[in-house]
Protein backbone atom coordinates (compact mmCIF):
# COMPACT_ATOMS: atom_id res chain seq x y z
CA UNK A 1 0.00 0.00 0.00
CA UNK A 2 1.26 3.45 -0.80
CA UNK A 3 0.23 6.97 0.03
CA UNK A 4 0.98 10.02 -2.00
CA UNK A 5 0.47 13.57 -0.78
CA UNK A 6 1.55 17.00 -1.84
CA UNK A 7 1.30 20.50 -0.40
CA UNK A 8 -1.91 21.53 1.36
CA UNK A 9 -3.66 22.57 -1.86
CA UNK A 10 -2.40 19.59 -3.86
CA UNK A 11 -4.31 16.33 -4.34
CA UNK A 12 -3.58 13.35 -2.07
CA UNK A 13 -3.50 9.77 -3.26
CA UNK A 14 -3.73 6.41 -1.53
CA UNK A 15 -2.18 3.48 -3.39
CA UNK A 16 -2.71 -0.15 -2.54
CA UNK A 17 0.20 -2.25 -3.82
CA UNK A 18 0.02 -5.89 -4.84
CA UNK A 19 2.37 -8.03 -6.88
CA UNK A 20 0.69 -7.32 -10.22
CA UNK A 21 -1.48 -4.23 -9.73
CA UNK A 22 -1.74 -0.82 -8.13
CA UNK A 23 -5.04 0.64 -6.99
CA UNK A 24 -4.85 4.43 -6.73
CA UNK A 25 -7.46 6.52 -4.91
CA UNK A 26 -7.42 10.31 -4.86
CA UNK A 27 -8.78 11.64 -1.59
CA UNK A 28 -12.22 13.18 -2.01
CA UNK A 29 -12.65 11.91 -5.55
CA UNK A 30 -13.60 8.75 -7.41
CA UNK A 31 -13.27 6.35 -9.13
CA UNK A 32 -10.22 4.34 -8.07
CA UNK A 33 -7.58 3.95 -10.77
CA UNK A 34 -6.34 0.41 -11.46
CA UNK A 35 -2.97 0.02 -13.24
CA UNK A 36 -0.29 -2.62 -13.68
CA UNK A 37 2.54 -2.68 -11.14
CA UNK A 38 5.16 -2.14 -13.83
CA UNK A 39 7.66 0.63 -14.41
CA UNK A 40 5.98 1.57 -17.69
CA UNK A 41 2.52 1.90 -16.15
CA UNK A 42 3.84 3.79 -13.13
CA UNK A 43 5.71 6.29 -15.31
CA UNK A 44 2.56 6.78 -17.34
CA UNK A 45 0.57 7.60 -14.19
CA UNK A 46 3.30 9.92 -12.91
CA UNK A 47 2.97 11.99 -16.07
CA UNK A 48 -0.68 12.69 -15.17
CA UNK A 49 0.17 14.19 -11.77
CA UNK A 50 0.05 17.96 -11.33
CA UNK A 51 3.39 19.80 -11.40
CA UNK A 52 5.33 20.06 -8.16
CA UNK A 53 6.64 17.55 -5.67
CA UNK A 54 4.10 15.25 -4.04
CA UNK A 55 4.57 13.82 -0.55
CA UNK A 56 4.58 10.01 -0.54
CA UNK A 57 4.10 7.28 2.09
CA UNK A 58 3.94 3.50 1.71
CA UNK A 59 3.09 0.39 3.69
CA UNK A 60 5.95 -2.05 3.38
CA UNK A 61 4.85 -5.01 1.25
CA UNK A 62 8.11 -6.93 1.29
CA UNK A 63 9.32 -6.28 -2.24
CA UNK A 64 6.29 -5.31 -4.34
CA UNK A 65 6.39 -1.62 -3.40
CA UNK A 66 10.11 -1.04 -3.97
CA UNK A 67 10.04 -0.23 -7.68
CA UNK A 68 7.14 2.16 -7.13
CA UNK A 69 8.92 3.95 -4.28
CA UNK A 70 12.13 4.25 -6.28
CA UNK A 71 10.28 5.75 -9.25
CA UNK A 72 8.37 8.18 -7.04
CA UNK A 73 11.50 9.41 -5.28
CA UNK A 74 13.31 9.59 -8.61
CA UNK A 75 10.53 11.83 -9.90
CA UNK A 76 11.10 14.24 -7.02
CA UNK A 77 8.28 13.17 -4.71
CA UNK A 78 8.58 12.65 -0.95
CA UNK A 79 7.82 9.17 0.37
CA UNK A 80 6.50 7.99 3.76
CA UNK A 81 6.26 4.42 5.01
CA UNK A 82 3.24 3.25 7.04
CA UNK A 83 3.11 -0.13 8.73
CA UNK A 84 0.21 -2.47 7.98
CA UNK A 85 -0.71 -2.84 11.65
CA UNK A 86 -1.40 0.90 11.92
CA UNK A 87 -3.65 0.83 8.86
CA UNK A 88 -5.47 -2.22 10.14
CA UNK A 89 -6.22 -0.51 13.45
CA UNK A 90 -7.29 2.62 11.58
CA UNK A 91 -9.74 0.54 9.54
CA UNK A 92 -11.20 -0.87 12.76
CA UNK A 93 -11.67 2.57 14.30
CA UNK A 94 -13.64 3.66 11.24
CA UNK A 95 -15.81 0.55 11.41
CA UNK A 96 -14.91 -0.32 7.82
CA UNK A 97 -15.82 -3.95 7.27
CA UNK A 98 -14.90 -4.33 3.61
CA UNK A 99 -11.30 -5.06 2.77
CA UNK A 100 -10.54 -4.99 -0.92
CA UNK A 101 -7.69 -3.39 -2.81
CA UNK A 102 -9.93 -0.49 -3.84
CA UNK A 103 -11.24 0.01 -0.31
CA UNK A 104 -7.69 -0.08 1.05
CA UNK A 105 -6.58 2.54 -1.46
CA UNK A 106 -9.35 4.85 -0.24
CA UNK A 107 -8.49 4.06 3.38
CA UNK A 108 -4.86 5.02 2.83
CA UNK A 109 -5.88 8.25 1.13
CA UNK A 110 -8.10 9.09 4.09
CA UNK A 111 -5.38 8.22 6.59
CA UNK A 112 -3.00 10.50 4.74
CA UNK A 113 -5.48 13.34 4.67
CA UNK A 114 -5.97 13.24 8.45
CA UNK A 115 -2.61 11.99 9.73
CA UNK A 116 -0.14 13.01 7.02
CA UNK A 117 1.23 15.99 8.95
CA UNK A 118 2.90 13.72 11.51
CA UNK A 119 4.45 11.29 9.03
CA UNK A 120 8.20 11.31 8.50
CA UNK A 121 9.69 11.24 4.97
CA UNK A 122 11.23 8.01 3.76
CA UNK A 123 14.61 7.99 2.03
CA UNK A 124 16.12 5.24 -0.07
CA UNK A 125 18.75 3.38 1.95
CA UNK A 126 22.24 2.79 0.57
CA UNK A 127 22.44 -0.21 -1.73
CA UNK A 128 24.61 -2.12 0.75
CA UNK A 129 21.97 -1.74 3.47
CA UNK A 130 19.20 -3.08 1.23
CA UNK A 131 21.30 -5.99 -0.04
CA UNK A 132 22.55 -7.03 3.39
CA UNK A 133 19.13 -6.94 5.06
CA UNK A 134 17.70 -8.97 2.16
CA UNK A 135 20.43 -11.59 2.57
CA UNK A 136 19.78 -11.84 6.32
CA UNK A 137 16.05 -12.32 5.77
CA UNK A 138 16.54 -14.97 3.12
CA UNK A 139 18.99 -16.82 5.32
CA UNK A 140 16.45 -16.73 8.15
CA UNK A 141 13.80 -18.16 5.82
CA UNK A 142 16.08 -21.06 4.88
CA UNK A 143 16.92 -21.76 8.53
CA UNK A 144 13.22 -21.90 9.42
CA UNK A 145 12.47 -24.19 6.48
CA UNK A 146 15.35 -26.47 7.43
CA UNK A 147 14.12 -26.77 11.00
CA UNK A 148 10.55 -27.49 9.97
CA UNK A 149 11.61 -30.10 7.46
CA UNK A 150 13.77 -31.93 9.96
CA UNK A 151 11.00 -31.89 12.53
CA UNK A 152 8.36 -33.20 10.14
CA UNK A 153 10.53 -35.87 8.49
CA UNK A 154 12.56 -37.23 11.39
CA UNK A 155 10.05 -39.95 12.28
CA UNK A 156 9.15 -40.89 8.71
CA UNK A 157 10.98 -44.12 7.81
CA UNK A 158 12.43 -44.83 4.39
CA UNK A 159 13.47 -41.26 3.48
CA UNK A 160 16.69 -40.84 5.44
CA UNK A 161 18.93 -40.59 2.39
CA UNK A 162 16.68 -38.15 0.54
CA UNK A 163 16.20 -35.95 3.60
CA UNK A 164 19.94 -35.86 4.18
CA UNK A 165 20.53 -34.81 0.57
CA UNK A 166 18.00 -31.99 0.82
CA UNK A 167 19.32 -30.73 4.15
CA UNK A 168 22.86 -30.72 2.81
CA UNK A 169 21.76 -28.63 -0.17
CA UNK A 170 19.96 -26.15 2.08
CA UNK A 171 22.94 -25.96 4.43
CA UNK A 172 25.21 -25.28 1.47
CA UNK A 173 22.90 -22.49 0.33
CA UNK A 174 22.89 -21.00 3.85
CA UNK A 175 26.68 -21.11 3.80
CA UNK A 176 26.77 -19.28 0.48
CA UNK A 177 24.50 -16.57 1.84
CA UNK A 178 26.77 -16.16 4.85
CA UNK A 179 29.77 -15.86 2.54
CA UNK A 180 27.92 -13.22 0.52
CA UNK A 181 27.14 -11.30 3.72
CA UNK A 182 30.82 -11.38 4.73
CA UNK A 183 31.87 -10.19 1.27
CA UNK A 184 29.34 -7.36 1.39
CA UNK A 185 30.74 -6.16 4.71
CA UNK A 186 34.17 -6.03 3.07
CA UNK A 187 33.03 -4.00 0.05
CA UNK A 188 30.72 -1.67 1.97
CA UNK A 189 33.46 0.01 3.96
CA UNK A 190 31.97 -1.13 7.29
CA UNK A 191 34.94 -3.30 8.22
CA UNK A 192 36.12 -1.22 11.20
CA UNK A 193 32.76 -0.88 13.01
CA UNK A 194 32.01 -4.51 12.20
CA UNK A 195 35.22 -5.66 13.91
CA UNK A 196 34.54 -3.42 16.92
CA UNK A 197 31.06 -4.87 17.42
CA UNK A 198 32.33 -8.43 17.12
CA UNK A 199 34.35 -7.91 20.29
CA UNK A 200 31.17 -7.53 22.35
CA UNK A 201 30.39 -10.77 24.17
CA UNK A 202 27.48 -12.63 22.57
CA UNK A 203 27.46 -10.76 19.27
CA UNK A 204 28.35 -12.96 16.31
CA UNK A 205 29.03 -12.27 12.66
CA UNK A 206 25.41 -12.13 11.49
CA UNK A 207 24.26 -9.87 14.34
CA UNK A 208 27.23 -7.56 13.81
CA UNK A 209 26.49 -7.34 10.10
CA UNK A 210 22.83 -6.55 10.75
CA UNK A 211 23.70 -3.87 13.30
CA UNK A 212 26.07 -2.22 10.82
CA UNK A 213 23.36 -2.19 8.16
CA UNK A 214 20.82 -0.74 10.60
CA UNK A 215 23.23 1.96 11.78
CA UNK A 216 23.88 3.07 8.19
CA UNK A 217 20.17 3.08 7.33
CA UNK A 218 19.61 6.58 8.73
CA UNK A 219 21.53 9.32 10.58
CA UNK A 220 20.55 8.34 14.12
CA UNK A 221 21.37 11.16 16.52
CA UNK A 222 20.85 9.20 19.74
CA UNK A 223 20.81 5.60 20.90
CA UNK A 224 17.10 5.88 21.76
CA UNK A 225 16.27 6.48 18.09
CA UNK A 226 18.40 3.48 17.10
CA UNK A 227 16.62 1.29 19.67
CA UNK A 228 13.21 2.48 18.49
CA UNK A 229 14.13 1.74 14.87
CA UNK A 230 14.96 -1.82 15.91
CA UNK A 231 11.57 -2.10 17.62
CA UNK A 232 13.18 -2.70 21.02
CA UNK A 233 11.66 0.39 22.63
CA UNK A 234 9.10 -0.16 25.39
CA UNK A 235 5.62 1.33 25.09
CA UNK A 236 3.81 2.82 28.10
CA UNK A 237 0.57 1.21 29.31
CA UNK A 238 -1.28 3.37 31.88
CA UNK A 239 -4.92 3.83 32.75
CA UNK A 240 -6.09 5.75 35.81
CA UNK A 241 -4.08 4.56 38.79
CA UNK A 242 -3.00 1.37 37.04
CA UNK A 243 0.34 1.27 35.27
CA UNK A 244 1.25 -1.99 33.58
CA UNK A 245 4.75 -2.96 32.52
CA UNK A 246 5.24 -1.85 28.93
CA UNK A 247 5.66 -4.11 25.93
CA UNK A 248 7.97 -3.82 22.95
CA UNK A 249 6.74 -1.73 20.04
CA UNK A 250 8.16 -4.31 17.57
CA UNK A 251 8.12 -1.66 14.83
CA UNK A 252 11.46 -2.57 13.31
CA UNK A 253 13.08 -5.52 11.57
CA UNK A 254 11.91 -8.76 13.21
CA UNK A 255 15.01 -10.64 12.05
CA UNK A 256 17.30 -8.13 13.78
CA UNK A 257 15.35 -8.54 17.01
CA UNK A 258 15.72 -12.32 16.71
CA UNK A 259 19.47 -12.03 16.15
CA UNK A 260 19.87 -9.68 19.12
CA UNK A 261 17.80 -11.98 21.33
CA UNK A 262 20.07 -14.90 20.41
CA UNK A 263 23.08 -12.69 21.09
CA UNK A 264 21.63 -11.87 24.51
CA UNK A 265 21.28 -15.56 25.33
CA UNK A 266 24.98 -16.04 24.62
CA UNK A 267 25.97 -12.84 26.41
CA UNK A 268 24.00 -13.77 29.54
CA UNK A 269 26.50 -16.56 30.16
CA UNK A 270 29.55 -14.27 29.94
CA UNK A 271 31.28 -12.74 32.96
CA UNK A 272 30.66 -9.25 31.60
CA UNK A 273 26.91 -9.46 31.07
CA UNK A 274 25.77 -12.14 33.50
CA UNK A 275 25.51 -9.64 36.42
CA UNK A 276 23.17 -7.43 34.39
CA UNK A 277 21.06 -10.42 33.39
CA UNK A 278 20.81 -11.67 36.97
CA UNK A 279 19.89 -8.21 38.18
CA UNK A 280 16.96 -8.11 35.75
CA UNK A 281 15.75 -11.47 37.08
CA UNK A 282 16.01 -10.22 40.67
CA UNK A 283 13.84 -7.24 39.76
CA UNK A 284 11.04 -9.63 38.83
CA UNK A 285 11.60 -9.87 35.09
CA UNK A 286 10.88 -13.18 33.42
CA UNK A 287 13.74 -14.92 31.61
CA UNK A 288 12.45 -13.63 28.26
CA UNK A 289 12.07 -10.08 29.54
CA UNK A 290 15.56 -10.13 31.04
CA UNK A 291 17.03 -11.33 27.75
CA UNK A 292 15.16 -8.62 25.85
CA UNK A 293 16.57 -6.02 28.25
CA UNK A 294 20.05 -7.43 27.65
CA UNK A 295 19.48 -7.41 23.88
CA UNK A 296 18.56 -3.73 24.13
CA UNK A 297 21.73 -3.10 26.16
CA UNK A 298 23.87 -4.85 23.54
CA UNK A 299 22.28 -2.72 20.81
CA UNK A 300 23.10 0.43 22.78
CA UNK A 301 26.71 -0.64 23.19
CA UNK A 302 26.98 -1.40 19.47
CA UNK A 303 25.50 2.01 18.62
CA UNK A 304 28.02 3.73 20.89
CA UNK A 305 30.92 1.87 19.30
CA UNK A 306 29.78 2.84 15.79
CA UNK A 307 28.77 6.40 16.64
CA UNK A 308 32.01 7.25 18.45
CA UNK A 309 34.30 4.98 16.41
CA UNK A 310 35.61 3.67 19.74
CA UNK A 311 36.95 0.29 20.78
CA UNK A 312 35.05 -2.02 23.09
CA UNK A 313 36.36 -2.11 26.66
CA UNK A 314 34.45 -4.81 28.62
CA UNK A 315 35.30 -3.46 32.08
CA UNK A 316 33.88 -0.02 31.29
CA UNK A 317 30.59 -1.47 30.11
CA UNK A 318 30.46 -3.86 33.05
CA UNK A 319 30.73 -0.91 35.43
CA UNK A 320 28.13 1.01 33.47
CA UNK A 321 25.74 -1.94 33.72
CA UNK A 322 26.26 -2.10 37.47
CA UNK A 323 24.76 1.40 37.73
CA UNK A 324 21.77 0.57 35.52
Amino acid sequence: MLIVTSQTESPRFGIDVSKRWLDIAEYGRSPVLHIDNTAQAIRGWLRTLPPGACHIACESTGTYHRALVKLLIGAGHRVYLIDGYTLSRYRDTLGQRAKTDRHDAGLIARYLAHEGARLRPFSLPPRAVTDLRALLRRRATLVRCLGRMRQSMEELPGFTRQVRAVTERIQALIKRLEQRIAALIGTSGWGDPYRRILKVEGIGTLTAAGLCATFHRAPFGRADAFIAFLGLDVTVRQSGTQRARGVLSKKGDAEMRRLLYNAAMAASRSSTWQPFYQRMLQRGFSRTQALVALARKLARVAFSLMKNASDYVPQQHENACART
Side-chain angles (χ1 to χ4, degrees):
M1 300 178 185
L2 189 105
I3 302 170
V4 180
T5 138
S6 61
Q7 303 298 333
T8 303
E9 62 276 4
S10 299
R12 289 151 292 185
F13 300 90
I15 306 177
D16 181 84
V17 180
S18 63
K19 182 177 181 179
R20 298 180 59 185
W21 297 290
L22 303 175
D23 287 276
I24 307 171
E26 182 176 354
Y27 180 68
R29 297 189 181 184
S30 58
V32 175
L33 179 65
H34 185 78
I35 66 173
D36 293 335
N37 189 2
T38 63
Q40 181 179 0
I42 294 169
R43 291 192 182 98
W45 174 69
L46 286 173
R47 288 192 289 269
T48 69
L49 294 179
C54 293
H55 294 188
I56 305 167
C58 173
E59 179 193 1
S60 178
T61 58
T63 59
Y64 303 145
H65 68 284
R66 292 181 182 175
L68 174 61
V69 168
K70 186 176 295 185
L71 288 170
L72 287 169
I73 292 179
H77 302 294
R78 301 184 70 183
V79 176
Y80 303 81
L81 286 178
I82 302 177
D83 64 275
Y85 178 75
T86 297
L87 289 175
S88 177
R89 294 294 296 271
Y90 187 64
R91 181 187 298 107
D92 293 340
T93 61
L94 296 177
Q96 180 175 309
R97 298 184 179 183
K99 188 187 184 307
T100 66
D101 293 343
R102 292 176 180 269
H103 282 96
D104 282 351
L107 178 72
I108 298 169
R110 178 169 177 170
Y111 183 86
L112 174 67
H114 293 279
E115 307 294 335
R118 67 181 183 85
L119 299 179
R120 184 171 298 178
F122 172 81
S123 60
L124 289 173
R127 177 65 182 272
V129 171
T130 302
D131 291 348
L132 196 147
R133 293 179 70 183
L135 289 171
L136 286 174
R137 290 189 184 118
R138 283 159 175 77
R139 180 193 175 277
T141 299
L142 287 175
V143 170
R144 287 194 299 269
C145 290
L146 183 60
R148 290 169 183 167
M149 189 188 67
R150 282 173 169 167
Q151 185 177 19
S152 63
M153 300 293 288
E154 63 180 355
E155 296 182 359
L156 188 64
F159 292 90
T160 302
R161 182 181 302 175
Q162 291 84 349
V163 171
R164 184 186 299 116
V166 173
T167 56
E168 289 176 352
R169 294 289 298 273
I170 296 177
Q171 288 171 334
L173 184 54
I174 292 172
K175 186 67 175 179
R176 287 193 61 186
L177 288 174
E178 292 173 350
Q179 292 171 347
R180 183 74 64 85
I181 291 170
L184 189 56
I185 289 292
T187 59
S188 64
W190 303 340
D192 288 341
Y194 175 77
R195 284 187 288 272
R196 291 190 185 100
I197 298 172
L198 276 178
K199 294 180 181 180
V200 181
E201 295 87 350
I203 294 182
T205 56
L206 296 175
T207 308
L211 287 168
C212 283
T214 304
F215 179 81
H216 289 89
R217 174 61 185 86
F220 300 102
R222 300 177 56 189
D224 287 346
F226 186 69
I227 296 300
F229 190 84
L230 288 167
L232 288 172
D233 54 321
V234 179
T235 61
V236 177
R237 303 288 182 182
Q238 187 271 334
S239 178
T241 60
Q242 296 183 349
R243 182 178 295 273
R245 181 169 290 170
V247 297
L248 295 184
S249 67
K250 295 185 179 181
K251 294 289 187 180
D253 189 340
E255 175 58 13
M256 271 311 306
R257 288 194 299 275
R258 188 190 70 83
L259 289 172
L260 281 166
Y261 185 84
N262 289 343
M265 285 195 290
S268 68
R269 298 187 289 270
S270 70
S271 59
T272 299
W273 297 106
Q274 190 177 55
F276 176 86
Y277 174 68
Q278 291 298 328
R279 193 159 54 254
M280 294 298 103
L281 295 177
Q282 292 168 6
R283 288 172 56 181
F285 284 65
S286 68
R287 181 176 180 273
T288 298
Q289 291 170 333
L291 288 173
V292 168
L294 179 51
R296 186 162 50 245
K297 181 67 70 174
L298 294 177
R300 287 185 180 277
V301 171
F303 175 82
S304 176
L305 296 177
M306 291 184 285
K307 185 74 173 179
N308 301 317
S310 57
D311 292 327
Y312 176 62
V313 181
Q315 187 62 41
Q316 291 180 1
H317 292 289
E318 183 179 7
N319 294 336
C321 286
R323 298 189 297 269
T324 301

